[in-house]
Amino acid sequence: MNQKNILKNGLLFVLLCLVFACQAPKKETGLSSIDALIPKPQSVTKTTGDFEITDKTAIYVGNGAEESIAIASYLAEKLKPATGFDLPVSVASGQPTTNSIVLMKSDDSQLGEEGYELTITQDQIKLTAPHAAGLFRGVQTIRQLLPAAIENTELQKGVEWEIPTGTIRDFPNYAYRGMMLDVARHFFSVEDVKRLIDEMAYYKLNVFHWHLSDDQGWRIEIKSWPNLTKFGGSTEVGGGKGGFYTQEQYKDVVKYAAERYITVIPEIDMPGHTNAALASYPELNCSEQTIKLNPGNEVKRKVPGLYSGIEVGFSTLCTSKEITYQFIDDVVRELAEMTPGPYLHIGGDESHATKKEDYIPFVKKVQEIVVKHGKKVVGWDEIATSTLQPNSMAQVWAKAENGKLAIAQGAKLIMSPAKKMYLDMSYDSTSKLGLHWAAYIEVDSAYAWDPATLVKGISRENVYGVESALWSETIQTRADIDYLTFPRLPGHAEIGWSASPDGTEGSRSWEEYKLRLATFGPRMKAMGINFYKSKLVPWVE
Ligand code: TNX
C-alpha cells in the first residue's frame, strides 16, 4: 500500500469505529467497581471471581479492640438498609472461614496511620490495618466495591451483592485531606453538617474545617461572651435568621467526626471578617470606625450594626486594645477545651481594614495565645507576612508568594488554591449557584492538577495537605451544598489521597478519571446527593 492508501484506510477505520461506537448501546454499568474506586488506591491486583454478601454473611473482628467492633458495626449498619440483612458482628474465636468479612489489626506499619490492605476471595473479605483509621478507610473501599444500589436507604430487591475478588493495598499520599464549610454566611444545621461529614468520609477525607465566624454571623456559643451568639448569631447573608451551635452541639459534631476518623478544625476569623463580633461587643471596636460597604458609600459610626451583605475587608478588631486579647484568650480557651484535634484556625485573611503595622504583631500575639492553650495554628496565607510559630501552617488560597514566605519560615502548607479548590466557584457561566471571582471551575479543571507542581517554588515536601473550601454566600440548603460540592469533591479527594502517577500535572489523566467518576452517578443518586451533572462526564445510568 502506498502512503495515500494507508491514510485512506486509516481514516475509514477511524470513521467506522466512530459510527460503531455511536450506535453501541449505552453501557449500563461502566467499569467494574474494582477499576473505578475514588480515590484510586495505591495498588490493585485483580483475580477472577466475586465474593457475595448474603443474609448468612458474618462480620468478625480479629481482636477485641472496641474501636474495631465500632467500625465493624458501622459497616453492618451501612449494609443493612439496601440489603435488608442484619449481619452479626462478633469477635472471632479461631479462624473465621467462609462467607465472612473479617476486620483485623495488623503490624504492617508500612501502611501508616490510615493505610489498609483488603484481600477479597470468593470465601472471605479480609481487611487489615495497623490502626483503626485504616480499617475505617478500608470499609469505605468495601462500600465502593459493592453495586451502587448499596447506598439506597430503602430495601433493594433482586440485587446480587457481589464484590470483585483481588487484593488492594492502599495508603494516602498526603496526611491532611480536608474540606471547609462556611456556616457564617449562611447557617447550616447540625444535621446538615453531619451529612457532609458522612459524604467526606466516603472519599477518605480526614479534616473538617469549620468556618464559624465572619462578618455576617458568629456561630459558636462562647459562654464568657454570650452576646456573640445572642446578637452576632442572629442573622446571615440576605438577612435571614442565622443561627448558632451550642457547645453541646459542637461537641456532638466533633464526636461524630471522630467516629469517622475526621478531625475538626474550628476557625475564628480575625482580625478582619469580624463584624458580627464587633456588633455584639462595642468595646472590641477602636473608638470610631469608617465602614466601607461600597466605594463611595462610607459610613462613620461608633459601633457597626449587624451585616448581611457580601462585601469583604471592611471590619477589624481593635488591635491596640487589651480587651481584644482578653476576648481572644477566652474564645480560644473555650474552643480549645472542646476541640480534641491539634489545630485551631485563626483566619487572618483579607484584613484590609487593619494597618499592616498592626496586623503583623496581632497575628504574632494570637498565635501565642493559641499555643498557650495547647493548640497549633492554621491561618490563611496572609499570616505568613507575620512571624510564624514553629508549628503554624499557612493555607494557600490566593497568594503563592505568601506560601513561599511561610516555607522560608519552615512552615508547611495546606493547598487550597481558589482557582482549583474553591467549591463556591461556579462550574460555568450558566451555573445558578456560586461566585466566579477566581475562576469557573469545571469538574476536569478541579481534578487535573497537582499541588506539588502548581506553583514554582512550592514542592511536595512543603505541602502538608489539600483542602476544598465551600464558602456559603450563595448557598442556603443542603441541596445547594451538594450541588457545589459534587462531583468536584471526589476529584479533590483523589488529589489528596492518590499520588499522581509521576508527580506531574499531566500524569493525572482526566480521560481515565472521568470513566471512574461516571460510575459514581448512580452512587450519588442512591445517596440522595443533588450533584451537578457535568456534560464532561459520560454518566452511567
Ligand atoms: C475569599 S478565601 C474569602 C472569603 C470569601 C470567598 C468567596 C478567603 C480566605 N476569604 O471570605 O467567602 O473569597 O469565594
Side-chain angles (χ1 to χ4, degrees):
M1 263 191 295
N2 62 25
Q3 250 193 340
K4 222 172 157 187
N5 268 341
I6 292 176
L7 208 71
K8 227 166 113 186
N9 287 338
L11 264 174
L12 197 72
F13 180 68
V14 169
L15 242 149
L16 271 172
C17 289
L18 277 174
V19 170
F20 185 73
C22 289
Q23 287 178 345
K26 249 198 183 162
K27 263 202 170 175
E28 280 199 343
T29 52
L31 296 173
S32 160
S33 61
I34 198 163
D35 294 320
L37 296 163
I38 301 178
K40 196 186 189 74
Q42 301 296 340
S43 98
V44 175
T45 313
K46 291 192 280 182
T47 55
T48 44
D50 293 291
F51 173 89
E52 186 179 357
I53 297 182
T54 68
D55 59 350
K56 302 280 183 311
T57 305
I59 305 179
Y60 294 101
V61 297
N63 39 36
E66 245 173 65
E67 266 185 312
S68 309
I69 293 173
I71 295 166
S73 307
Y74 166 95
L75 173 61
E77 245 166 68
K78 287 287 171 202
L79 302 179
K80 192 174 171 184
T83 62
F85 307 153
D86 209 348
L87 304 184
V89 172
S90 48
V91 178
S93 53
Q95 280 292 326
T97 51
T98 54
N99 206 355
S100 59
I101 303 175
V102 186
L103 275 60
M104 260 189 321
K105 290 274 189 74
S106 67
D107 48 17
D108 190 347
S109 59
Q110 263 187 346
L111 290 170
E113 199 54 46
E114 294 177 278
Y116 64 92
E117 193 169 270
L118 198 50
T119 313
I120 305 152
T121 63
Q122 282 170 317
D123 290 338
Q124 193 181 67
I125 296 180
K126 197 166 119 194
L127 172 60
T128 60
H131 300 282
L135 290 178
F136 186 81
R137 305 290 175 240
V139 162
Q140 307 310 317
T141 303
I142 294 175
R143 292 173 67 191
Q144 292 193 4
L145 288 170
L146 279 158
I150 195 68
E151 299 304 334
N152 278 288
T153 48
E154 272 140 47
L155 186 67
Q156 304 294 297
K157 292 215 173 97
V159 182
E160 285 172 349
W161 303 107
E162 288 178 342
I163 294 183
T165 56
T167 303
I168 295 171
R169 203 177 151 77
D170 201 12
F171 50 87
N173 184 20
Y174 289 105
Y176 181 118
R177 305 170 311 277
M179 171 157 178
M180 187 210 79
L181 178 67
D182 169 11
V183 295
R185 272 53 178 273
H186 282 101
F187 181 69
F188 294 96
S189 68
V190 165
E191 209 180 62
D192 290 346
V193 169
K194 285 184 175 174
R195 184 177 130 98
L196 182 63
I197 287 172
D198 277 329
E199 292 169 351
M200 291 168 54
Y202 190 62
Y203 297 98
K204 303 187 172 75
L205 268 62
N206 66 355
V207 174
F208 175 58
H209 168 183
W210 209 353
H211 186 79
L212 289 166
S213 72
D214 214 299
D215 289 318
Q216 299 85 349
W218 185 283
R219 307 298 179 205
I220 180 68
E221 176 190 20
I222 298 295
K223 294 195 197 278
S224 52
W225 294 73
N227 291 351
L228 290 169
T229 44
K230 190 171 173 201
F231 297 119
S234 70
T235 192
E236 61 184 7
V237 166
K241 68 176 175 27
F244 67 90
Y245 311 104
T246 64
Q247 295 201 349
E248 285 314 306
Q249 288 175 319
Y250 177 92
K251 288 186 224 168
D252 178 43
V253 169
V254 166
K255 179 167 171 281
Y256 190 85
E259 286 163 1
R260 283 147 188 79
Y261 298 88
I262 290 175
T263 301
V264 172
I265 301 185
E267 177 184 350
I268 299 299
D269 204 344
M270 53 193 156
H273 290 279
T274 40
N275 190 82
L278 296 166
S280 305
Y281 285 100
E283 57 269 44
L284 299 176
N285 294 271
C286 287
S287 61
E288 206 163 32
Q289 278 207 324
T290 303
I291 304 166
K292 260 192 247 164
L293 298 182
N294 285 303
N297 174 16
E298 285 155 17
V299 201
K300 239 188 187 169
R301 54 187 161 179
K302 207 157 185 184
V303 177
L306 293 171
Y307 178 67
S308 59
I310 64 167
E311 302 280 334
V312 295
F314 60 87
S315 56
T316 183
L317 293 172
C318 192
T319 59
S320 59
K321 281 189 175 172
E322 210 29 62
I323 185 85
T324 297
Y325 300 97
Q326 185 53 54
F327 163 73
I328 294 168
D329 195 280
D330 288 335
V331 170
V332 167
R333 174 177 46 77
E334 290 196 31
L335 261 184
E337 275 168 7
M338 53 183 182
T339 305
Y343 291 104
L344 296 192
H345 201 302
I346 61 167
D349 58 313
E350 298 174 319
S351 281
H352 308 318
T354 322
K355 289 196 190 101
K356 196 167 171 62
E357 64 263 34
D358 295 335
Y359 178 86
I360 290 170
F362 174 87
V363 169
K364 206 165 163 244
K365 243 176 151 169
V366 173
Q367 288 177 86
E368 283 159 12
I369 294 172
V370 172
V371 170
K372 182 182 96 186
H373 290 289
K375 299 295 175 188
K376 300 178 203 173
V377 168
V378 190
W380 296 108
D381 63 51
E382 289 94 326
I383 68 162
T385 61
S386 177
T387 308
L388 297 178
Q389 285 278 331
N391 289 310
S392 292
M393 287 202 291
Q395 184 168 9
V396 175
W397 67 282
K399 289 212 177 95
E401 286 315 310
N402 287 337
K404 290 180 207 168
L405 285 179
I407 292 170
Q409 297 192 55
K412 295 261 188 216
L413 308 179
I414 306 297
M415 295 298 283
S416 298
K419 283 178 194 310
K420 297 289 178 191
M421 295 208 89
Y422 268 27
L423 294 172
D424 65 315
M425 293 298 118
S426 301
Y427 292 97
D428 63 26
S429 62
T430 68
S431 301
K432 48 186 191 325
L433 295 176
L435 305 170
H436 56 267
W437 62 264
Y440 289 114
I441 310 179
E442 245 298 354
V443 189
D444 58 345
S445 170
Y447 173 75
W449 65 283
D450 197 88
T453 55
L454 185 72
V455 180
K456 228 177 139 198
I458 297 180
S459 53
R460 176 65 185 88
E461 68 269 21
N462 309 126
V463 179
Y464 190 57
V466 293
E467 187 176 293
S468 317
L470 182 54
W471 301 98
S472 63
E473 284 93 336
T474 67
I475 59 174
Q476 305 192 48
T477 63
R478 173 189 289 193
D480 294 348
I481 293 182
D482 279 357
Y483 187 80
L484 288 177
T485 304
F486 293 97
R488 289 182 289 200
L489 188 71
H492 288 168
E494 179 151 311
I495 289 169
W497 181 280
S498 317
S500 72
D502 67 7
T504 63
E505 179 165 338
S507 67
R508 210 182 281 288
S509 161
W510 165 251
E511 294 303 321
E512 183 270 332
Y513 171 72
K514 75 178 183 191
L515 301 178
R516 284 187 283 129
L517 183 58
T519 69
F520 280 69
R523 292 182 192 278
M524 290 188 282
K525 199 169 157 209
M527 289 174 177
I529 294 176
N530 174 41
F531 65 102
Y532 162 65
K533 290 170 196 68
S534 169
K535 290 197 181 66
L536 303 181
V537 181
W539 296 110
V540 166
E541 291 307 324

Short mmCIF file of all heavy atoms in Angstrom, two decimals, residues 185 273 312 349-350 380 397 422 424-425 435 437 471 473, ligand 1:
data_model
loop_
_atom_site.label_atom_id
_atom_site.label_comp_id
_atom_site.label_asym_id
_atom_site.label_seq_id
_atom_site.Cartn_x
_atom_site.Cartn_y
_atom_site.Cartn_z
N ARG A 185 -21.76 32.74 56.58
CA ARG A 185 -22.52 33.50 55.57
C ARG A 185 -23.94 32.99 55.53
O ARG A 185 -24.89 33.75 55.42
CB ARG A 185 -21.84 33.41 54.22
CG ARG A 185 -20.79 34.47 53.96
CD ARG A 185 -19.73 34.57 55.07
NE ARG A 185 -18.72 35.55 54.77
CZ ARG A 185 -17.63 35.29 54.06
NH1 ARG A 185 -17.39 34.07 53.63
NH2 ARG A 185 -16.77 36.27 53.81
N HIS A 273 -12.97 40.24 58.97
CA HIS A 273 -14.12 39.32 58.94
C HIS A 273 -14.75 39.17 60.33
O HIS A 273 -15.15 38.07 60.72
CB HIS A 273 -13.69 37.94 58.42
CG HIS A 273 -13.36 37.92 56.95
ND1 HIS A 273 -14.32 37.85 55.97
CD2 HIS A 273 -12.17 38.01 56.29
CE1 HIS A 273 -13.74 37.86 54.77
NE2 HIS A 273 -12.44 37.97 54.94
N VAL A 312 -16.31 42.15 51.41
CA VAL A 312 -15.31 41.70 52.38
C VAL A 312 -14.30 42.80 52.67
O VAL A 312 -14.19 43.77 51.92
CB VAL A 312 -14.54 40.45 51.89
CG1 VAL A 312 -15.45 39.25 51.75
CG2 VAL A 312 -13.82 40.75 50.58
N ASP A 349 -7.28 36.34 56.92
CA ASP A 349 -7.39 36.76 55.52
C ASP A 349 -8.04 38.13 55.36
O ASP A 349 -8.81 38.56 56.21
CB ASP A 349 -8.21 35.73 54.73
CG ASP A 349 -9.61 35.56 55.31
OD1 ASP A 349 -9.71 35.40 56.55
OD2 ASP A 349 -10.60 35.60 54.56
N GLU A 350 -7.73 38.76 54.28
CA GLU A 350 -8.41 39.96 53.80
C GLU A 350 -8.67 41.01 54.88
O GLU A 350 -9.75 41.59 54.94
CB GLU A 350 -9.76 39.58 53.17
CG GLU A 350 -9.61 38.68 51.97
CD GLU A 350 -10.96 38.19 51.43
OE1 GLU A 350 -11.84 37.84 52.23
OE2 GLU A 350 -11.12 38.18 50.20
N TRP A 380 -4.99 31.54 57.10
CA TRP A 380 -4.95 31.79 55.65
C TRP A 380 -3.57 32.35 55.29
O TRP A 380 -2.87 32.87 56.18
CB TRP A 380 -6.08 32.73 55.25
CG TRP A 380 -7.44 32.10 55.50
CD1 TRP A 380 -8.33 32.44 56.49
CD2 TRP A 380 -8.05 31.01 54.77
NE1 TRP A 380 -9.45 31.63 56.42
CE2 TRP A 380 -9.31 30.75 55.38
CE3 TRP A 380 -7.65 30.23 53.69
CZ2 TRP A 380 -10.16 29.74 54.92
CZ3 TRP A 380 -8.51 29.23 53.24
CH2 TRP A 380 -9.75 29.00 53.85
N TRP A 397 -4.53 30.17 49.59
CA TRP A 397 -5.77 30.28 48.83
C TRP A 397 -5.63 31.26 47.69
O TRP A 397 -6.17 31.07 46.61
CB TRP A 397 -6.93 30.69 49.75
CG TRP A 397 -6.83 32.08 50.31
CD1 TRP A 397 -6.03 32.47 51.34
CD2 TRP A 397 -7.52 33.24 49.87
NE1 TRP A 397 -6.18 33.82 51.58
CE2 TRP A 397 -7.10 34.31 50.69
CE3 TRP A 397 -8.47 33.49 48.87
CZ2 TRP A 397 -7.59 35.62 50.52
CZ3 TRP A 397 -8.96 34.78 48.72
CH2 TRP A 397 -8.52 35.83 49.54
N TYR A 422 -11.80 25.97 45.26
CA TYR A 422 -12.92 26.69 45.86
C TYR A 422 -14.22 26.15 45.29
O TYR A 422 -14.58 26.40 44.14
CB TYR A 422 -12.78 28.20 45.60
CG TYR A 422 -12.06 28.89 46.73
CD1 TYR A 422 -11.15 28.18 47.51
CD2 TYR A 422 -12.31 30.22 47.06
CE1 TYR A 422 -10.50 28.79 48.57
CE2 TYR A 422 -11.66 30.83 48.12
CZ TYR A 422 -10.75 30.10 48.87
OH TYR A 422 -10.12 30.71 49.93
N ASP A 424 -17.04 27.03 45.98
CA ASP A 424 -18.08 28.05 45.76
C ASP A 424 -17.90 28.74 44.41
O ASP A 424 -18.70 29.60 44.05
CB ASP A 424 -18.09 29.09 46.88
CG ASP A 424 -16.81 29.91 46.94
OD1 ASP A 424 -15.72 29.30 46.84
OD2 ASP A 424 -16.90 31.14 47.07
N MET A 425 -16.87 28.36 43.65
CA MET A 425 -16.75 28.89 42.29
C MET A 425 -17.71 28.12 41.38
O MET A 425 -17.75 26.89 41.43
CB MET A 425 -15.31 28.75 41.77
CG MET A 425 -14.30 29.62 42.50
SD MET A 425 -14.65 31.39 42.33
CE MET A 425 -14.95 31.85 44.04
N LEU A 435 -19.97 31.86 42.99
CA LEU A 435 -19.33 33.11 42.56
C LEU A 435 -18.33 32.73 41.47
O LEU A 435 -18.16 31.56 41.17
CB LEU A 435 -18.59 33.74 43.74
CG LEU A 435 -19.41 34.00 45.02
CD1 LEU A 435 -18.49 34.39 46.17
CD2 LEU A 435 -20.45 35.08 44.78
N TRP A 437 -15.17 34.91 41.04
CA TRP A 437 -14.07 35.88 41.05
C TRP A 437 -12.71 35.21 40.79
O TRP A 437 -11.82 35.84 40.24
CB TRP A 437 -14.04 36.68 42.36
CG TRP A 437 -13.81 35.84 43.58
CD1 TRP A 437 -14.77 35.35 44.42
CD2 TRP A 437 -12.55 35.37 44.09
NE1 TRP A 437 -14.20 34.59 45.42
CE2 TRP A 437 -12.84 34.59 45.24
CE3 TRP A 437 -11.22 35.53 43.71
CZ2 TRP A 437 -11.84 33.98 45.99
CZ3 TRP A 437 -10.23 34.92 44.45
CH2 TRP A 437 -10.54 34.16 45.57
N TRP A 471 -17.44 28.23 50.53
CA TRP A 471 -17.96 29.47 51.10
C TRP A 471 -19.45 29.54 50.78
O TRP A 471 -19.88 29.04 49.73
CB TRP A 471 -17.20 30.67 50.52
CG TRP A 471 -15.73 30.58 50.80
CD1 TRP A 471 -14.76 30.13 49.96
CD2 TRP A 471 -15.08 30.92 52.02
NE1 TRP A 471 -13.54 30.16 50.59
CE2 TRP A 471 -13.71 30.65 51.85
CE3 TRP A 471 -15.52 31.43 53.25
CZ2 TRP A 471 -12.77 30.86 52.85
CZ3 TRP A 471 -14.58 31.65 54.25
CH2 TRP A 471 -13.22 31.38 54.05
N GLU A 473 -21.82 32.25 50.60
CA GLU A 473 -22.56 33.46 50.25
C GLU A 473 -23.82 33.14 49.42
O GLU A 473 -24.85 33.77 49.60
CB GLU A 473 -21.68 34.42 49.43
CG GLU A 473 -20.64 35.18 50.23
CD GLU A 473 -19.31 34.46 50.25
OE1 GLU A 473 -19.28 33.23 50.06
OE2 GLU A 473 -18.28 35.15 50.48
C1 TNX B 1 -12.47 34.95 49.81
S1 TNX B 1 -10.85 32.79 50.84
C2 TNX B 1 -12.60 34.79 51.17
C3 TNX B 1 -13.91 34.54 51.76
C4 TNX B 1 -14.99 34.57 50.72
C5 TNX B 1 -14.53 33.88 49.47
C6 TNX B 1 -15.58 33.77 48.42
C7 TNX B 1 -10.72 33.68 51.97
C8 TNX B 1 -9.68 33.29 52.88
N1 TNX B 1 -11.54 34.71 52.04
O1 TNX B 1 -14.18 35.45 52.78
O2 TNX B 1 -16.11 33.93 51.24
O3 TNX B 1 -13.43 34.56 48.95
O4 TNX B 1 -15.15 32.98 47.36
#
